[in-house]
């Protein structure tokens, strides 16, 4: 009996929420009427996209309620409302999801209230009948479970009205994918521009300045060679030192573009070299398809820079003395996991103290990963540990 009462109470809450939404939809009809009139006279056409967004929020609330009750998600498929006013109005009018939501709105005004009204007398009858039936005769409740079936019926009807057709769902997912690729492309372009500016700055401030000084010393040495060979020899020695320093600067720049160690040792060997020079005690583990061929160069470079940035920031900001790097070759992806036992608190767009602290480090890592259609997850609660997990799509 108690279980039946609890389920009936939960079902009543579900039906009450539906009844409240049905009453709200009655008020929303006035908004729809105002929007229709404003759109017809053109002047108020800008109200239409906002009204459609309100309708989507109402339908989304019902989807969540139906999914919470039935345990099965109710998919949504909408065309994104973006661009200028004219484009947004055309999208709102041509989107099949708008028609679907309007159909649900009208139907729900009827069945949402009806099921809630039917639920009320069932409580009175059920408490008496099932109280006797269960308390005296020890049988299972009969009337109160009907309230749960009403909630099931509400969820089924809502699912039938709100679930999009497979074609609409495919179109919506394709539009979302295009939008996601647009965002990741913009991030990749920004990351590429920042990388080019870094290379230009390194060349200008480092190798170029040393080469200019080298040229000047060689010129002075040539002028002084006949009159003061000793001073000329000293200038040539200084020029040789500057040439070596310029070569070191150039190697540093080249290493930032694509580390030669990746070509020589592969990703695992390059990561072990990073670990050895990080200043931390770093454990490097390999898993998955360890005998698989090497990943594409772009994937290896992205994974290498993620590990390098994570270990550098862990050594600088986290306060940890230990870290772990795990490289896993899955059937269709390369997974990288970096963990430190520091203070945590790393976050994008602001200062942090864990792996990737400083905001821009995490953002740069995310952009580099997104450019390859990968994913990146960061978990860094205050007090630690900080864990960065990156998955890069890869065909072995």
């Amino acid at each position: 009996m108690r279980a039946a009462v609890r389920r009936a109470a939960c079902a009543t809450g579900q039906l009450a929420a539906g009844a409240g939404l049905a009453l709200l939809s009655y008020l929303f009809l006035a908004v729809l009427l105002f929007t229709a009139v404003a759109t017809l006279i053109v002047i108020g056409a800008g109200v239409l996209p906002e009204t459609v967004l309100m309708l989507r929020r109402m339908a989304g609330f019902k989807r969540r309620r139906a999914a919470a009750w039935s345990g099965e998600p109710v998919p949504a498929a909408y065309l994104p409302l973006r661009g200028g006013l004219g484009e947004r109005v055309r999208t709102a009018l041509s989107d099949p999801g708008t028609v679907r939501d309007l159909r649900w709105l009208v139907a729900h005004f009827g069945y949402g209230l009806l099921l809630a009204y039917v639920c009320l007398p069932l409580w009175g009858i059920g408490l008496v009948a099932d109280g006797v039936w269960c308390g005296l005769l020890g049988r299972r409740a009969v009337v109160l479970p009907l309230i749960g079936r009403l909630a099931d019926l509400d969820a089924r009807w809502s699912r039938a009205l709100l679930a999009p057709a497979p074609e609409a769902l495919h179109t919506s997912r394709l539009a979302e994918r295009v939008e996601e690729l647009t965002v990741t492309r913009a991030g990749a372009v920004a990351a590429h521009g920042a990388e080019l500016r870094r290379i230009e700055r390194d060349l200008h401030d480092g190798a170029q300045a040393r080469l200019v000084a080298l040229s000047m010393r060689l010129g002075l040495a040539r002028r002084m060679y006949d009159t003061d060979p000793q001073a000329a020899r000293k200038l040539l020695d200084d020029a040789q030192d500057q040439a070596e320093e310029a070569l070191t600067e150039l190697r540093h720049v080249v290493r930032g573009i694509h580390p030669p160690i990746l070509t020589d040792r592969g990703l695992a060997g390059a990561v072990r070299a990073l670990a050895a020079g990080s200043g931390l005690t770093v454990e490097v583990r390999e898993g998955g398809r360890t005998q698989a061929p090497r990943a594409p160069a772009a994937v290896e470079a992205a994974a290498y820079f993620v590990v390098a940035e994570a270990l550098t920031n862990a050594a600088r900001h986290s306060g940890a003395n230990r870290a772990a790097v795990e490289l896993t070759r899955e059937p269709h992806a390369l997974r990288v996991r970096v963990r430190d036992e520091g203070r945590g608190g790393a976050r994008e767009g602001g200062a942090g103290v864990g792996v990737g602290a400083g905001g821009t480090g995490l953002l740069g890592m995310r952009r580099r990963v997104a450019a390859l259609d990968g994913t990146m997850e960061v978990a860094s609660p205050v007090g630690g540990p900080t864990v960065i997990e990156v998955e890069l799509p890869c065909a072995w």
Side-chain angles (χ1 to χ4, degrees), residues 299-331:
V299 174
E300 283 194 343
Y304 176 85
F305 282 113
V306 164
V307 175
E309 182 72 23
L311 291 180
T312 298
N313 285 285
R316 289 179 180 175
H317 306 290
S318 71
N321 54 17
R322 299 184 62 86
V325 179
E326 185 175 347
L327 305 174
T328 305
R329 298 185 179 189
E330 298 183 347

Side-chain angles (χ1 to χ4, degrees), residues 71-84:
E72 298 179 6
V74 182
Y78 296 111
L79 297 178
L81 294 177
R82 61 172 181 265

Side-chain angles (χ1 to χ4, degrees), residues 9 26 33 45 54 112 133 194 245 251 344 375:
Y26 178 75
L33 180 61
M54 292 177 60
W133 186 253
E245 291 175 357
R251 290 192 191 98
T375 59

Side-chain angles (χ1 to χ4, degrees), residues 70-387:
S70 63
E72 298 179 6
V74 182
Y78 296 111
L79 297 178
L81 294 177
R82 61 172 181 265
L85 177 59
E87 184 180 356
R88 297 180 68 201
V89 170
R90 286 192 296 271
T91 302
L93 291 174
S94 61
D95 187 4
T98 303
V99 178
R100 184 172 56 250
D101 289 349
L102 287 173
R103 182 181 59 192
W104 162 80
L105 186 72
V106 174
H108 186 260
F109 177 71
Y111 74 80
L113 291 176
L114 176 63
L115 294 178
Y117 289 150
V118 173
C119 167
L120 295 177
L122 288 179
W123 268 107
I125 299 173
L127 289 176
V128 175
D130 288 341
V132 174
W133 186 253
C134 298
L136 297 181
L137 301 179
R139 305 294 181 84
R140 298 178 60 182
V142 176
V143 180
L144 289 178
L146 296 177
I147 301 176
R149 295 181 183 177
L150 292 177
D152 294 339
L153 188 61
D154 174 78
R156 283 199 300 271
W157 285 351
S158 299
R159 175 183 297 277
L161 291 169
L162 290 173
E167 297 81 5
L169 187 60
H170 175 73
T171 303
S172 174
R173 289 176 176 173
L174 183 60
E176 291 176 357
R177 180 61 175 161
V178 170
E179 187 173 5
E180 178 185 352
L181 290 177
T182 302
V183 174
T184 57
R185 179 180 179 274
V189 170
H192 179 66
E195 189 72 7
L196 288 179
R197 289 191 295 273
R198 182 192 66 80
I199 295 172
E200 181 182 8
R201 184 177 62 251
D202 290 346
L203 289 175
H204 182 272
D205 298 341
Q208 179 177 314
R210 297 186 186 279
L211 289 175
V212 170
L214 171 63
S215 177
M216 294 176 62
R217 288 184 181 276
L218 289 175
L220 290 173
R222 186 177 62 181
R223 292 179 183 179
M224 298 175 64
Y225 185 78
D226 294 331
T227 59
D228 191 353
Q230 191 68 24
R233 188 176 296 107
K234 178 67 170 59
L235 289 173
L236 289 175
D237 291 339
D238 293 342
Q240 183 178 4
D241 293 339
Q242 287 189 340
E244 293 176 356
E245 291 175 357
L247 287 174
T248 302
E249 292 283 349
L250 287 174
R251 290 192 191 98
H252 177 74
V253 174
V254 170
R255 193 178 299 113
I257 298 173
H258 185 83
I261 194 172
L262 269 179
T263 305
D264 299 337
R265 299 190 188 179
L267 180 59
V271 168
R272 287 192 172 89
L274 279 176
S278 67
L280 302 174
T281 302
V282 182
E283 179 185 2
V284 180
R285 297 190 298 269
E286 292 185 79
R289 305 173 62 185
T290 56
Q291 301 303 318
R294 291 183 58 172
V299 174
E300 283 194 343
Y304 176 85
F305 282 113
V306 164
V307 175
E309 182 72 23
L311 291 180
T312 298
N313 285 285
R316 289 179 180 175
H317 306 290
S318 71
N321 54 17
R322 299 184 62 86
V325 179
E326 185 175 347
L327 305 174
T328 305
R329 298 185 179 189
E330 298 183 347
H332 302 289
L334 172 65
R335 186 180 295 274
V336 180
R337 188 174 187 268
V338 184
R339 173 190 173 107
D340 77 65
E341 303 297 333
R343 294 187 294 270
R347 60 185 184 276
E348 294 181 47
V353 292
V355 170
T360 55
L362 284 176
L363 182 59
M365 293 161 65
R366 189 176 295 279
R367 283 177 172 174
R368 187 182 289 272
V369 170
L372 297 176
D373 204 21
T375 59
M376 173 176 159
E377 300 292 335
V378 180
S380 183
V382 176
T386 296
V387 179

